[in-house]
Amino acid sequence: MTKIGKRTRAAREAFDGKDNLSVQEAVALIKSNANAKFDETVEIALNLGVDPRHADQMVRGVVGLPNGTGKDVRVAVFARGAKADEAKEAGADIVGAEDLMETIQGGEINFDRCIATPDMMPIVGRLGKVLGPRNLMPNPKVGTVTMDVGEAVKNAKGGEVQFKAEKAGVVHAGVGKVSFDEGKLVENIRAFIGAVARAKPTGAKGTYMKKIALSSTMGPGVSVDVAEATAE
């Protein structure tokens, strides 16, 4: 039987019996009980009433968090010539074409976001089996296949978060760090929830947003009152 540490036990006791909190209350609880030796990420998980296996029930999108994520996002860009220069000037960490494709095929994926100009997609398309499962495949729907690579790089570096429903209809993301001010975390969380709400697909039936939970990287989760969290 796995032994539970004092910190974990104390955190569980603090969360015990606390359900359907307001976003503000949940953030306060998470911040006061995050005691890891590193700056934990505040994570959100939304259970949606969709089946992503059906095209008309897929949920995906992008949202710019008003206060950023607190994470240093490494960006790779597939581009040539002037567009490659534009990406570098905007702060892209890795820029290339066939050489970048070969690096990725060799198993080296040292980036968190992948952007491509439209003319590079025949090359990027060969990496579908590698980038797809990692949710790194460039897609025009979320602005990562674009001629405006400079703006896309700046957005990625500035706190833009992509989201996509997984098989069970769950969307999850990091929405800041526990070191953030409480108010800034609340703003980020509400912005993320709002973006997912607006991304409701035409094929969604019944209750769309079923459950919302928040946690820190090492802490237990707490459920959030859906009505309060989605109120305008």
Side-chain angles (χ1 to χ4, degrees):
M1 187 174 177
T2 305
K3 187 177 181 180
I4 300 174
K6 289 182 179 179
R7 287 182 179 180
T8 302
R9 189 183 301 112
R12 288 183 180 178
E13 289 174 355
F15 280 67
D16 189 38
K18 295 181 179 178
D19 297 302
N20 291 321
L21 304 183
S22 69
V23 174
Q24 189 95 30
E25 291 170 336
V27 168
L29 181 63
I30 289 167
K31 280 178 63 68
S32 63
N33 287 279
N35 49 25
K37 294 180 180 179
F38 63 94
D39 193 6
E40 297 178 61
T41 296
V42 176
E43 300 173 356
I44 187 168
L46 297 90
N47 291 67
L48 306 177
V50 298
D51 184 349
R53 291 175 298 181
H54 300 289
D56 65 347
Q57 293 189 48
M58 170 51 71
V59 177
R60 79 181 301 161
V62 63
V63 57
L65 298 182
N67 303 296
T69 63
K71 179 182 178 181
D72 181 20
V73 178
R74 288 182 57 82
V75 180
V77 178
F78 281 90
R80 288 193 179 95
K83 287 299 172 182
D85 294 336
E86 180 184 326
K88 291 173 184 176
E89 289 172 10
D93 300 276
I94 307 166
V95 181
E98 285 85 359
D99 55 334
L100 179 53
M101 178 189 71
E102 291 171 2
T103 298
I104 294 170
Q105 286 178 329
E108 194 173 330
I109 303 176
N110 297 322
F111 53 86
D112 309 294
R113 183 73 60 85
C114 188
I115 296 164
T117 53
D119 59 298
M120 297 300 294
M121 288 310 292
I123 292 173
V124 180
R126 302 179 203 174
L127 300 169
K129 291 183 179 180
V130 180
L131 299 179
R134 294 173 171 81
N135 201 24
L136 290 171
M137 193 69 180
N139 189 306
K141 291 182 179 179
V142 293
T144 48
V145 177
T146 176
M147 287 301 290
D148 195 353
V149 290
E151 186 67 18
V153 170
K154 290 175 183 176
N155 288 340
K157 292 277 190 180
E160 189 178 74
V161 174
Q162 294 181 9
F163 57 86
K164 181 181 179 182
E166 298 177 349
K167 289 180 180 179
V170 177
V171 169
H172 63 83
V175 289
K177 296 288 186 178
V178 293
S179 60
F180 281 21
D181 289 342
E182 195 172 295
K184 290 184 177 180
L185 279 171
V186 171
E187 284 181 2
N188 278 2
I189 291 164
R190 290 195 183 281
F192 186 86
I193 292 171
V196 175
R198 290 189 295 275
K200 180 179 179 179
T202 56
K205 307 296 182 184
T207 303
Y208 174 54
M209 205 165 287
K210 292 184 172 182
K211 182 179 178 183
I212 301 173
L214 292 170
S215 67
S216 64
T217 305
M218 303 299 290
V222 59
S223 63
V224 173
D225 185 294
V226 175
E228 189 275 339
T230 55
E232 293 294 336

